[in-house]
Amino acid sequence: MSDRIADIWGSRTPYGGGEEWPERVDEHLEEGVPRAEIRWFQSACVLCSNGCGLDIGVLDGRIVGVRGRADDRVNRGRLGPKGLFGWRANNAADRLATPLVRRNGALEPVGWDEALDLVVEHSRKVLADRGPLGMGFYTTGQLFIEDYYTLAVLVRAGIGTPHLDGNTRLCTATADAAMKESFGADGDPGSITDFDLCDTIFLVGHNIAETQTVLWARVLDRLDGSDPPRLVVVDPRPTKVARRAEVHLPIRNGTNLALLNAIQHELIAHEWIDREFVEAHTIGLEELEKTVARYTPERAAEICDVSASAIREAARIVGEAERLVSTCLQGVYQSHQATASAIQVNNIHLVRGMIGKPGCAPFQMNGQPTAQNTRETGADGDMAGARNWQNDAHVEELARLWNVDAFQIPSWAPPTHVMELFRYAEEGSIRFLWIIGTNPAVSLPDLGRVRATLAQDRLFVVVSDAFLNETGELADVVLPAAMWGEKTGTYTNHDRTVHISEKAVEPPGEAHADMDILIEYAERLGLRDRDGAPLIKWRTPEECFEAFKEMTRGRPCDYSGLSYAMLRGSGGIQWPCNEENPDGTERLYTDHVFNTFPDYCEEYGHDLLTGAAFDRKDYEALNPSGRALLRNAEYVPPPEEPSDDFPLLFTTGRTVYHWHTRTKSGRSRELDAAAPEPWVELSVADAERMGVGEGDVVRVESARGALEARARITELREGVAFAPFHYGAWGRADPGDAEAGTANELTITAWDPVSKQPLFKVAAVRVEKVADSGGVAAPAPTTTASEPVAPLVRAGVEPT
Amino acid sequence: MKLDVAIESVQDAEASLAKELRRAGERHALQSDLYHLTRMLADRCEQQLERLLPFATRYGAPDTHDPGESSAVVEQVRRLGGELAGRHEASGLVLLDDLRGLYVSAQEAEISWTVLIQGALAIRIASSSRSPTSAASTPRRGRSGCGRV
């Protein structure tokens, strides 16, 4: 196998449209390991939402490598760089192996009894003094169904607080929201095999080459095969995807909605729409037509700062497609008017009648591997089993399943989203905050404010994690958690494919699975059902999965036909899997009946401008009854625009070698070496104007904070600065230090009104040079969107 | 027909709604969604008033209105005050009170529009850039802004 750090997507295995993607098995083992002695355990990668099937190789109770599973429907044996090298984090020397408790300002190791007693004591005190609203929980997109479901039942039915969210709020809340608005419930309609069948791919704000490398390998193989799909890409950065596009629209960040309205304007003007389909299966075309009529390509060109002819050309390719696959990711979700924009991509498929058919699907992508499951279990702002918090019958179903009184489950208002949760902690109404497997001290916007909130004496902070990260440093109690490979469980990727992941090794020291930690906490806190029996009925992951399955019965995300036995040895099975669909379901809505019945739907929709929730009578008045909703919205300018003081637009993003705040990827020597330090990307024109050259140290400053890092000059659009979001204060004394290069010191506290997803991609900044490069290039990869402009390569930038 | 009175009543209601929106946003500057949303909705009130202006002139209502914006210094002071007070638990009660006030003001604006639109329809205004149907959508927008409240 080639050097898979430099060769991110591996060798090509071209195939034609409609053919099966050929197998290619990727493997990486520690050097010198006797291969024949390795024991293999089935799993799937947890370092992006693709969820590639893999086996974990174990020797002497230690993980020694991974290999792709050739028969897996998602990856057909392939793995990306993070999948191949990320497992090294499990073996890191600095894993948390014992609980820690803060004493005299410092964290000290203690036993589990002592740590949990302290957590329970504080929980009891807050519950007695302030009731359930004093308690908050913030989880991740990295755990398994079994961990999340235990958490959801504990928090919703046991504690009874609405203050529970996942960091999926930062990555996929908009995917979820957009599908609920358009189709009535969460769940991507399409199948990953639609990439094999389509003739056109429309990627909006989705740097698929870096965020889902194996899916991009699939597209690359199509592009190199016979009958390749046409590619249209919307992205301000010169991504590898953009470089392969027939039309690339490098729009000004924050203007997706204006562009997508203009594309629909063209679809309608040229009658590239399926009137029969629209008439039979959607509502809202008339209002949509009225709105998009105002978005001529010329008007959008002005807002988005791309040419009107390019918009026309993009619309023509989308309009002439016979089998269209579209995807959205963070360029839409973490941007201004996120939900309204994501919905327009759904609209494009609805007006073209390209949904629920082979090769035709809009993908509202996920970022994290198990983000789908926070949504399904109700461990984020959703109710368990895609239930509707405004529907009393749904809440009563949950109460019956959990054997508690319905009024115990908070449903008088929407579940609290993370930004609001931190706001309540800031103002002092939340006094107990448990953070599980996520690092808000690096990943939330406006970090100065986040740190000040977490550091308050009046707030008791519990962190459970595999490592002591920047957030753990601010905690009162830190609990050591088992990672992937150290516990058994299940999770679901972006095309509803469910995988099982076996326990391959023991967790280090006294670390435990999150599910076990939560069950122990519930026991000690004395959480009971209405008959006085323990609230949490399960003790093993499989027992939990059985309970979860039952909870999903009859709902869109129906797992009732699945079992650990079925998943073992399988190449992934897609929900719904039930009596009617015993082998799973490749595509949703093949009958073009959507989940928009008032009794069944997951929500009644929102006003897209303000986020005001509609209620049942509004929904009934619309009378969708199985028809999809074409929702329209006007473009409005973002809350912060470039000014004289802050003339550039700032955007952040994930890059190929790192994952989140590097908690795992930074502990893999291959991944860390590929991108060890932060950097800032600038356009050629801006760099020239400011006198900045490759490798010069620049200071990027917003109204909220600053970062300093070396500059990489790329073909990025003019007027924009980009920084990766991965780099925190890890290894530095002062967390606010600009030299840490932390992107979220700069970002704004603002969020989408519907999905509540924070805006990481629209802030105003100024950039100034602070030091010469000294002949050193920026530590940015040369293999990706951060590729330097050609002359600088000759000037001596070493390839990654 | 006393259309001037109806127009003036809309002008008063929209202007005072704009002012209250801005002040509420500034008072609760740490409540970030409210801060951004109130500013955006206040701008919309201003736009509504701008669009009403030709009719005000034609029917003898006041042709100017108080934009309701405080000086930059006052705005900044209110915002800083909001940021300081926003770390106190009582800020939640003040917020609730402000939202109640906004709800009533938005209702006031909606009623004024309804009266004006009915008057306008009665005399069948034919000309202008805004048709009666599109004017009729105005109060709905006002209501959705407050649905959140």
Side-chain angles (χ1 to χ4, degrees):
Chain A
M1 196 173 66
S2 62
D3 169 10
R4 288 297 306 283
I5 289 293
D7 184 10
I8 295 168
W9 305 282
S11 55
R12 292 283 56 77
T13 48
Y15 69 122
E19 293 169 14
E20 193 177 40
W21 192 27
E23 285 177 11
R24 184 194 86 194
V25 175
D26 296 346
E27 177 178 296
H28 180 70
L29 299 175
E30 260 178 23
E31 274 169 43
V33 170
R35 205 175 179 288
E37 291 170 34
I38 293 174
R39 285 187 64 204
W40 297 96
F41 295 84
Q42 182 178 356
S43 181
C45 182
V46 285
L47 292 166
C48 93
S49 66
N50 219 41
C52 297
L54 58 75
D55 291 319
I56 304 174
V58 174
L59 185 69
D60 300 331
R62 238 176 120 255
I63 299 178
V64 294
V66 290
R67 70 175 179 205
R69 288 176 66 89
D71 64 352
D72 197 283
R73 65 185 302 278
V74 171
N75 57 318
R76 310 272 299 147
R78 289 162 194 77
L79 295 173
K82 284 194 275 254
L84 286 167
F85 304 112
W87 55 270
R88 288 193 185 279
N90 282 63
N91 298 338
D94 61 346
R95 284 288 302 274
L96 280 170
T98 170
L100 308 172
V101 164
R102 188 168 301 280
R103 284 204 188 106
N104 305 319
L107 289 167
E108 291 177 12
V110 295
W112 270 100
D113 274 337
E114 198 177 326
L116 279 180
D117 283 350
L118 198 61
V119 174
V120 168
E121 185 194 315
H122 271 86
S123 305
R124 287 222 172 95
K125 187 170 181 322
V126 171
L127 283 166
D129 292 352
R130 323 183 65 88
L133 293 176
M135 307 282 288
F137 295 81
Y138 181 43
T139 186
T140 176
Q142 299 288 133
L143 304 184
F144 298 172
I145 283 175
E146 294 75 3
D147 302 306
Y148 293 138
Y149 190 52
T150 305
L151 177 67
V153 176
L154 186 162
V155 174
R156 302 271 189 236
I159 308 268
T161 176
H163 306 326
L164 163 63
D165 200 7
N167 69 10
T168 48
R169 184 68 63 184
L170 316 183
C171 78
T172 57
T174 304
D176 184 13
M179 290 189 282
K180 287 190 281 195
E181 296 286 340
S182 298
F183 312 133
D186 187 15
D188 259 309
S191 163
I192 203 161
T193 55
D194 289 327
F195 285 88
D196 307 339
L197 298 160
C198 64
D199 65 13
T200 303
I201 302 177
F202 181 38
L203 300 170
V204 190
H206 185 188
N207 183 4
I208 192 170
E210 292 192 61
T211 56
Q212 282 110 345
T213 56
V214 174
L215 187 53
W216 180 240
R218 196 170 194 139
V219 175
L220 281 175
D221 285 344
R222 278 289 319 270
L223 291 173
D224 283 1
S226 59
D227 193 17
R230 304 179 77 179
L231 197 56
V232 177
V233 173
V234 181
D235 200 312
R237 296 173 73 211
T239 62
K240 288 287 177 187
V241 181
R243 288 173 193 279
R244 290 299 295 263
E246 188 173 333
V247 176
H248 172 207
L249 298 164
I251 61 167
R252 183 184 287 143
N253 16 332
T255 63
N256 292 307
L257 184 60
L259 175 74
L260 293 165
N261 278 349
I263 286 178
Q264 291 178 94
H265 174 275
E266 289 296 285
L267 296 182
I268 290 168
H270 293 270
E271 203 54 32
W272 287 318
I273 69 177
D274 183 341
R275 294 255 169 207
E276 206 175 308
F277 182 96
V278 170
E279 182 64 29
H281 306 297
T282 72
I283 55 173
L285 180 66
E286 202 181 319
E287 292 78 12
L288 178 69
E289 279 182 310
K290 246 187 246 165
T291 299
V292 303
R294 294 191 282 273
Y295 293 84
T296 59
E298 282 70 22
R299 181 170 173 221
E302 209 166 288
I303 296 170
C304 308
D305 193 24
V306 291
S307 78
S309 62
I311 295 174
R312 281 206 173 80
E313 181 60 12
R316 195 178 56 77
I317 295 171
V318 169
E320 289 176 356
E322 285 172 15
R323 290 177 310 282
L324 175 68
V325 164
S326 303
T327 74
C328 297
L329 200 66
Q330 308 310 353
V332 175
Y333 303 160
Q334 294 179 342
S335 192
H336 177 54
Q337 295 189 287
T339 306
S341 305
I343 285 172
Q344 304 316 312
V345 174
N346 294 341
N347 284 355
I348 288 172
H349 280 262
L350 290 168
V351 298
R352 299 231 53 222
M354 292 196 179
I355 188 165
K357 300 173 185 170
C360 301
F363 277 93
Q364 300 293 345
M365 279 284 172
N366 295 345
Q368 298 185 75
T370 75
Q372 192 68 42
N373 308 118
T374 56
R375 284 139 60 174
E376 296 158 2
T377 56
D380 64 350
D382 289 325
M383 292 300 263
R387 285 179 176 80
N388 186 342
W389 65 269
Q390 288 172 291
N391 184 330
D392 291 343
H394 286 192
V395 177
E396 273 156 27
E397 270 172 22
L398 289 178
R400 209 164 42 245
L401 286 156
W402 297 339
N403 197 31
V404 295
D405 285 325
F407 71 79
Q408 174 69 11
I409 302 169
S411 63
W412 67 89
T416 312
H417 61 90
V418 63
M419 301 302 291
E420 210 169 28
L421 208 149
F422 271 75
R423 170 69 193 132
Y424 293 152
E426 181 180 53
E427 59 147 37
S429 72
I430 287 180
R431 296 292 174 100
F432 175 102
L433 179 58
W434 190 335
I435 299 166
I436 302 172
T438 185
N439 192 6
V442 180
S443 55
L444 287 186
D446 196 358
L447 285 180
R449 194 171 162 186
V450 172
R451 276 192 301 272
T453 298
L454 289 174
Q456 298 173 96
D457 281 340
R458 64 183 176 182
L459 180 68
F460 188 79
V461 179
V462 181
V463 164
S464 26
D465 210 295
F467 297 96
L468 186 61
N469 57 26
E470 290 86 341
T471 305
E473 298 281 3
L474 296 165
D476 296 289
V477 173
V478 179
L479 303 172
M483 291 173 76
W484 164 89
E486 298 163 358
K487 59 184 181 183
T488 296
T490 48
Y491 37 95
T492 307
N493 82 341
H494 52 63
D495 89 329
R496 300 169 280 105
T497 299
V498 187
H499 283 113
I500 190 165
S501 179
E502 303 280 9
K503 178 174 176 175
V505 294
E506 289 297 327
E510 294 172 43
H512 288 297
D514 288 281
M515 183 189 86
D516 295 336
I517 296 171
L518 293 165
I519 292 175
E520 184 66 25
Y521 170 71
E523 282 289 296
R524 288 180 186 230
L525 196 56
L527 297 181
R528 293 283 182 270
D529 68 11
R530 71 167 127 207
D531 298 325
L535 177 72
I536 312 288
K537 313 287 182 204
W538 47 87
R539 291 296 174 270
T540 67
E542 188 161 9
E543 286 168 12
C544 180
F545 186 75
E546 290 298 314
F548 168 75
K549 275 167 53 175
E550 207 40 49
M551 183 278 292
T552 63
R553 187 183 292 278
R555 296 300 302 159
C557 53
D558 194 335
Y559 285 71
S560 60
L562 279 170
S563 65
Y564 274 22
M566 277 172 72
L567 291 168
R568 287 190 166 118
S570 86
I573 300 170
Q574 291 170 283
W575 66 248
C577 179
N578 48 24
E579 275 171 29
E580 303 87 82
N581 310 287
D583 302 319
T585 307
E586 187 161 32
R587 287 178 194 85
L588 303 181
Y589 312 128
T590 49
D591 55 1
H592 302 133
V593 177
F594 296 88
N595 290 323
T596 53
F597 300 91
D599 287 333
Y600 191 71
C601 67
E602 193 177 352
E603 65 159 42
Y604 299 129
H606 295 82
D607 177 65
L608 298 182
L609 180 74
T610 61
F614 296 141
D615 56 29
R616 187 182 173 111
K617 68 178 188 314
D618 298 319
Y619 207 71
E620 282 171 342
L622 279 174
N623 190 27
S625 301
R627 289 173 295 175
L629 276 75
L630 294 165
R631 307 282 320 277
N632 69 89
E634 294 278 356
Y635 167 77
V636 293
E640 186 168 276
E641 291 192 285
S643 60
D644 290 346
D645 282 346
F646 301 106
L648 296 182
L649 268 170
F650 181 64
T651 180
T652 74
R654 178 177 284 145
T655 62
V656 74
Y657 300 113
H658 281 301
W659 181 245
H660 289 187
T661 64
R662 294 184 304 142
T663 309
K664 289 190 235 182
S665 56
R667 288 175 170 90
S668 159
R669 63 170 185 264
E670 293 90 349
L671 297 173
D672 185 53
E677 296 281 335
W679 68 91
V680 173
E681 291 169 25
L682 296 173
S683 72
V684 176
D686 290 320
E688 265 173 20
R689 200 179 55 251
M690 295 183 287
V692 173
E694 168 72 29
D696 287 352
V697 180
V698 292
R699 183 177 173 85
V700 186
E701 199 165 354
S702 77
R704 293 157 293 278
L707 73 82
E708 287 179 16
R710 288 183 185 275
R712 162 61 48 86
I713 320 300
T714 77
E715 288 171 29
L716 180 65
R717 64 161 290 131
E718 189 178 351
V720 175
F722 168 88
F725 65 46
H726 308 292
Y727 298 87
W730 190 7
R732 286 173 195 274
D734 174 12
D737 188 356
E739 286 172 23
T742 306
N744 282 322
E745 301 290 348
L746 284 67
T747 43
I748 185 172
T749 306
W751 52 85
D752 181 66
V754 180
S755 68
K756 320 297 183 193
Q757 189 156 349
L759 267 65
F760 292 104
K761 303 218 187 258
V762 190
V765 296
R766 62 171 160 250
V767 177
E768 58 188 2
K769 179 170 160 176
V770 293
D772 265 328
S773 72
V776 180
T782 57
T783 46
T784 64
S786 52
E787 183 181 340
V789 289
L792 291 170
V793 175
R794 287 197 297 277
V797 176
E798 293 297 320
T800 300
Chain B
M1 189 59 81
K2 296 281 180 202
L3 219 52
D4 57 329
V5 178
I7 291 174
E8 196 170 348
S9 141
V10 166
Q11 288 174 324
D12 290 348
E14 286 278 341
S16 82
L17 178 59
K19 189 162 143 187
E20 282 182 48
L21 281 164
R22 286 188 206 284
R23 300 232 162 128
E26 286 152 16
R27 262 200 296 277
H28 304 282
L30 287 182
Q31 205 73 39
S32 305
D33 55 343
L34 187 81
Y35 180 70
H36 298 302
L37 186 61
T38 49
R39 290 166 78 89
M40 182 179 68
L41 292 177
D43 287 346
R44 294 214 156 190
C45 295
E46 305 291 335
Q47 289 159 14
Q48 310 268 48
L49 287 173
E50 284 300 318
R51 284 204 287 264
L52 194 59
L53 216 51
F55 300 91
T57 316
R58 194 193 311 175
Y59 292 96
D63 56 2
T64 55
H65 60 266
D66 172 15
E69 286 179 43
S70 311
S71 73
V73 176
V74 173
E75 189 180 310
Q76 183 70 5
V77 167
R78 213 181 282 125
R79 194 192 142 98
L80 287 173
E83 286 183 8
L84 289 172
R87 295 199 168 79
H88 193 275
E89 236 181 309
S91 66
L93 288 174
V94 182
L95 173 63
L96 198 59
D97 199 48
D98 279 347
L99 292 177
R100 287 170 63 140
L102 280 175
Y103 185 83
V104 173
S105 298
Q107 294 295 320
E108 183 73 38
E110 178 170 5
I111 294 164
S112 304
W113 275 109
T114 305
V115 170
L116 173 57
I117 289 161
Q118 285 177 346
L121 288 171
I123 61 163
R124 291 186 168 74
I125 292 177
S127 66
S128 98
S129 55
R130 288 174 67 76
S131 68
T133 11
S134 64
S137 70
T138 308
R140 271 206 293 280
R141 195 174 303 144
R143 188 193 304 161
S144 67
C146 281
R148 174 182 192 286
V149 178

